Amino acid sequence: MPDLHPAAIAFRDPAALLARCEIGGVRRLYHEPGYENGAVLPAGDWAPLSEEIPARYAPSIFTKDSGLVEFFRLPATVTSRHLLAALVGDLGDPDPVRLPVTDDPPGEPVTHRLAEHGPRPGLHIDDHQNLPCAERDLARRRLCVNLGPGDRHLLLATRDITSICRSVRDRYEIHRPHTDDLRLYLGERKQLSVLRIRISPGEGWFAPTAVLPYDESTEGQVLPSATASWLGYWERGLFGPLI
């Protein structure tokens, strides 16, 4: 099973990660209204992580800050979107890229759209900087906060986009990855798993979404949920760990 390298998940308590994380396979959608053709979605066959998996996903001495997945809870003093934006402005990146706020109904297997009213891409990579494979691990991380009122899930592929491109592209080092590379990889009948990690209102995450194919989901939820997101260069450990 892949170990997410060059990405990794930060945690103190393996049991806490196991309690909020599941793993499953993926499926493809073709000619489905509302989705890009060939979109990659979770298969829905969620299962608990086995107890040895957290150690495989833990950071090593080689894990860069830009490759780290971190989970956190907002300080109790952050009680509005304005205060959240002010907090993000003080995290160390003088020019974070603010992304549109989303407001998603319950029951969506994936939530992201690349255009406001466009089709959903399914599992995808952030491509704001369009870096080649050799520089992908230097890309901005995404910071996302669940504004509630419902829970939602972060979806993360267990193989990074550079490893995927290495399998399907010649001279992959200079190739500029795209979500289509993920679809090509699966089209060659290669295997991929996806993690589903619960994020409750007031909680958030940092993740290298230019490196790990990802999305979010409200499937199985009763309440809608909104998010606020930014891209930026942030060092690790800016908040106390959630898990």
Side-chain angles (χ1 to χ4, degrees):
M1 178 178 290
D3 59 7
L4 304 184
H5 180 79
I9 298 176
F11 59 90
R12 291 182 302 179
D13 181 3
L17 177 61
L18 293 171
R20 66 168 64 217
C21 184
E22 298 170 293
I23 193 167
V26 298
R27 60 190 173 100
R28 305 286 300 280
L29 289 183
Y30 296 97
H31 311 295
E32 183 79 16
Y35 292 89
E36 292 184 2
N37 197 37
V40 180
L41 270 67
D45 55 344
W46 301 113
L49 289 179
S50 56
E51 292 187 357
E52 72 273 10
I53 292 300
R56 295 185 64 91
Y57 295 162
S60 74
I61 60 172
F62 302 106
T63 305
K64 298 178 181 179
D65 291 359
S66 59
L68 201 57
V69 180
E70 298 179 276
F71 302 100
F72 62 88
R73 179 177 294 280
L74 285 177
T77 53
V78 179
T79 56
S80 69
R81 296 185 184 186
H82 174 74
L83 290 173
L84 174 58
L87 173 66
V88 172
D90 290 336
L91 292 181
D93 187 335
D95 298 302
V97 178
R98 188 167 188 168
L99 303 172
V101 171
T102 68
D103 196 349
D104 299 307
E108 298 287 351
V110 292
T111 64
H112 285 208
R113 300 178 189 271
L114 300 186
E116 184 176 358
H117 299 293
R120 301 185 192 278
L123 291 175
H124 62 286
I125 56 169
D126 276 340
D127 206 23
H128 295 79
Q129 294 170 279
N130 196 27
L131 296 173
C133 283
E135 300 174 21
R136 274 279 147 168
D137 61 350
L138 303 177
R140 298 183 183 98
R141 286 194 292 171
R142 179 179 282 246
L143 183 165
C144 180
V145 174
N146 181 2
L147 303 174
D151 287 354
R152 58 195 292 124
H153 290 91
L154 169 64
L155 305 174
L156 288 176
T158 58
R159 186 175 293 275
D160 73 283
I161 196 63
T162 297
S163 296
I164 288 169
C165 289
R166 187 183 294 117
S167 297
V168 299
R169 298 290 183 184
D170 294 330
R171 302 186 67 194
Y172 74 92
E173 300 94 337
I174 62 173
H175 176 66
R176 297 181 186 273
H178 188 273
T179 299
D180 284 342
D181 294 311
L182 171 64
R183 297 168 184 169
L184 179 60
Y185 177 84
L186 292 170
E188 295 185 356
R189 299 185 180 276
K190 294 181 169 64
Q191 298 299 308
L192 184 75
S193 296
V194 61
L195 302 175
R196 181 171 77 160
I197 306 158
R198 187 183 72 256
I199 308 294
S200 296
E203 297 176 353
W205 49 268
F206 295 92
T209 51
V211 173
L212 291 178
Y214 83 108
D215 209 304
E216 294 180 276
S217 173
T218 59
E219 194 166 39
Q221 301 304 309
V222 175
L223 297 174
S225 57
T227 65
S229 300
W230 290 259
L231 296 171
Y233 295 107
W234 296 293
E235 63 185 37
R236 70 182 70 193
L238 293 172
F239 298 96
L242 178 63
I243 59 175

